[in-house]
Amino acid sequence: MRKFNISIVAAAAAMFVSGAAVAADDLAPALKTAMQRDLRLSGPQLIQYLKAERLAAQQEKTLAKQLGRNFAGAWLERKADGSFGVVAASTAIKNTQAAAGVETRRARHSLAALNAAKAQLDGLLNRSAKAPKGVYSWSVDLPSNTVTVGVAPGAEDTGVDFVARSGLDASVVRFETLKDAPQRRIAIQGGRGVLREVGNNRISACSIGFSVTKGNSAGYATAGHCGNVGDIVYHEVSQWEPGVRVGTFAASAMPDDNARGPDRGWVRVDNTHVLSASVHGYGNGDVAVRGSTEAAVGTAVCRSGRTTGWHCGAIRSKNVTVSYTDDYGNPDGTVTGLTRTTACAEGGDSGGSFITAEGQGQGVLSGGSGDCRGAAGDNGGGNSYFTPLNSILKAYTLTLRTSP
């Protein structure tokens, strides 16, 4: 897979809880350390990055409303001197009026047109039920102003045929070669988290997402492929050693190899347990959950999981359709509605939390490609996909637990 760097990082749409920018010194230590390492930011660059996110947050919705059907998205872009600037794109001929610090650019396709084009590819699944082998994903990419189709090395022709069958205008499409196939991030070895029995004396490991409530019941949101309805979940006290019972899956959705749909679920926790409104900091202090305001493309996000701990990246695209494969290259379910990030993840991190610097919960890990084994700052060359948290809360009428 081509390594993503933050020369393409997009603008934050989430408004901060307090309405003020978070200062670098106010970040939870776990987030600050991981952001500087994985995004390769010095202390001053991190401060400037957070200020640029705030500017983008203030301008993105304003520009979308101002430009209407001409709006083509907004994003953060790293400059030659290492600083960050906000870019807004429009299909309008005349220059767009924007606030100081926002650069405007002309685009060929509006965001609405790109979303409609992406929907044409999704429509193929209504007829074939699964993506062709070697076609991994497709989504709207704002900086390139295209619908980007991710394909395996050597599968470019398959990707072209897939696009041709949809009737999509080829000028809207860009192909991206991904070295590694995206897979569900459920492990058969290593780390901490929660465990469940899967038969034949085997257990599988996943990670807790976010604490939630439903009526008088407490629980947590996680990935659907981490368990089926009724499955019992156990606390992982040490590597692959199940401890006390945590609870059972109250709901779960994950398409099999011949279907498509969401990857989401939640576990109803037994009454003997108390869940906190925070994300485990793996030795650097826990991170409080302040809410679930959705961030836009390009916002820095950090994820926590039982196998690899904390790793950060940036949101690359939303509403991504991903065709997962198993270890043998066979179809393993086509998942819709995911968000793609440049944060790495590995087996067992599935279900774990994605959160912003402002403490806004974004989603739970569904899958990814690559790994986290590269040098510091490299982020291992991996990338990941999460199920948006708000879609899980809405689907199961859950309420997110937050810290004051």
Side-chain angles (χ1 to χ4, degrees), residues 71-90:
F71 183 62
W75 61 93
L76 291 180
E77 197 166 85
R78 196 167 197 174
K79 301 177 182 178
D81 62 1
S83 65
F84 294 88
V86 180
V87 178
S90 169

Side-chain angles (χ1 to χ4, degrees), residues 9-13 74-76 140-143 295-299 314-318:
V9 183
W75 61 93
L76 291 180
V140 171
D141 184 75
L142 296 178
V297 174
T299 304
I315 295 175
R316 181 74 185 270
S317 52
K318 296 184 178 184

Side-chain angles (χ1 to χ4, degrees), residues 28 34 44 47 144 149 177 197 201 275 287 307 329 343-344 366 370 397:
I47 293 172
S144 67
V149 179
T177 302
E197 296 179 359
N201 296 317
L275 299 182
V287 178
T307 304
C344 66
S366 173
T397 60

Side-chain angles (χ1 to χ4, degrees), residues 22-25 27-28 31-37 39-53 78 82 84 300 357:
V22 129
D25 289 342
L27 288 178
L31 285 176
K32 185 175 181 180
T33 299
M35 287 178 72
Q36 289 191 245
R37 178 196 67 208
L39 297 174
R40 291 190 173 185
L41 299 174
S42 66
Q45 286 172 335
L46 177 59
I47 293 172
Q48 198 269 331
Y49 181 84
L50 293 174
K51 290 180 178 178
E53 279 194 346
R78 196 167 197 174
F84 294 88

Side-chain angles (χ1 to χ4, degrees), residues 337-360:
L338 298 177
T339 296
R340 180 184 179 184
T341 87
T342 60
C344 66
E346 295 186 13
D349 288 329
S350 275
S353 323
F354 280 80
I355 194 166
T356 67
E358 292 73 44
Q360 297 297 308

Side-chain angles (χ1 to χ4, degrees), residues 128-378:
S128 62
K130 60 183 178 182
K133 187 173 183 178
V135 176
Y136 292 153
S137 64
W138 51 95
S139 61
V140 171
D141 184 75
L142 296 178
S144 67
N145 196 233
T146 63
V147 173
T148 298
V149 179
V151 298
E156 290 80 6
D157 288 345
T158 303
V160 170
D161 290 342
F162 178 65
V163 171
R165 288 203 308 274
S166 73
L168 192 58
D169 181 354
S171 67
V172 182
V173 179
R174 179 176 71 97
F175 290 96
E176 180 179 34
T177 302
L178 304 177
K179 183 183 72 174
D180 301 302
Q183 296 179 314
R184 306 180 193 182
R185 283 325 196 190
I186 192 164
I188 305 300
Q189 59 185 356
R192 297 185 302 167
V194 287
L195 305 173
R196 70 182 178 98
E197 296 179 359
V198 293
N200 297 323
N201 296 317
R202 295 186 302 126
I203 55 176
S204 67
C206 271
S207 301
I208 292 173
F210 293 91
S211 298
V212 297
T213 57
K214 185 179 177 71
N216 295 323
S217 297
Y220 65 85
T222 190
H225 74 264
C226 286
N228 301 312
V229 174
D231 283 354
I232 300 173
V233 178
Y234 300 89
H235 173 59
E236 186 179 24
V237 294
S238 62
Q239 187 175 7
W240 293 103
E241 180 185 350
V244 299
R245 168 179 155 145
V246 172
T248 60
F249 268 86
S252 176
M254 175 66 198
D256 59 22
D257 60 351
N258 289 313
R260 69 184 178 105
D263 180 9
R264 62 188 178 216
W266 78 282
V267 171
R268 181 178 284 109
V269 171
D270 297 340
N271 291 332
T272 53
H273 304 301
V274 177
L275 299 182
S276 65
S278 63
V279 177
H280 184 45
Y282 285 92
N284 287 316
D286 295 341
V287 178
V289 178
R290 306 294 186 188
S292 61
T293 303
E294 183 182 345
V297 174
T299 304
V301 287
C302 297
R303 48 148 294 274
S304 179
R306 49 82 74 183
T307 304
T308 60
W310 279 99
H311 284 277
C312 299
I315 295 175
R316 181 74 185 270
S317 52
K318 296 184 178 184
N319 192 25
V320 183
T321 301
V322 177
S323 178
Y324 287 128
T325 65
D326 61 20
D327 291 337
Y328 305 99
N330 299 313
D332 199 22
T334 298
V335 179
T336 57
L338 298 177
T339 296
R340 180 184 179 184
T341 87
T342 60
C344 66
E346 295 186 13
D349 288 329
S350 275
S353 323
F354 280 80
I355 194 166
T356 67
E358 292 73 44
Q360 297 297 308
Q362 296 300 300
V364 301
L365 179 67
S366 173
S369 57
D371 55 49
C372 298
R373 298 164 200 166
D378 243 359

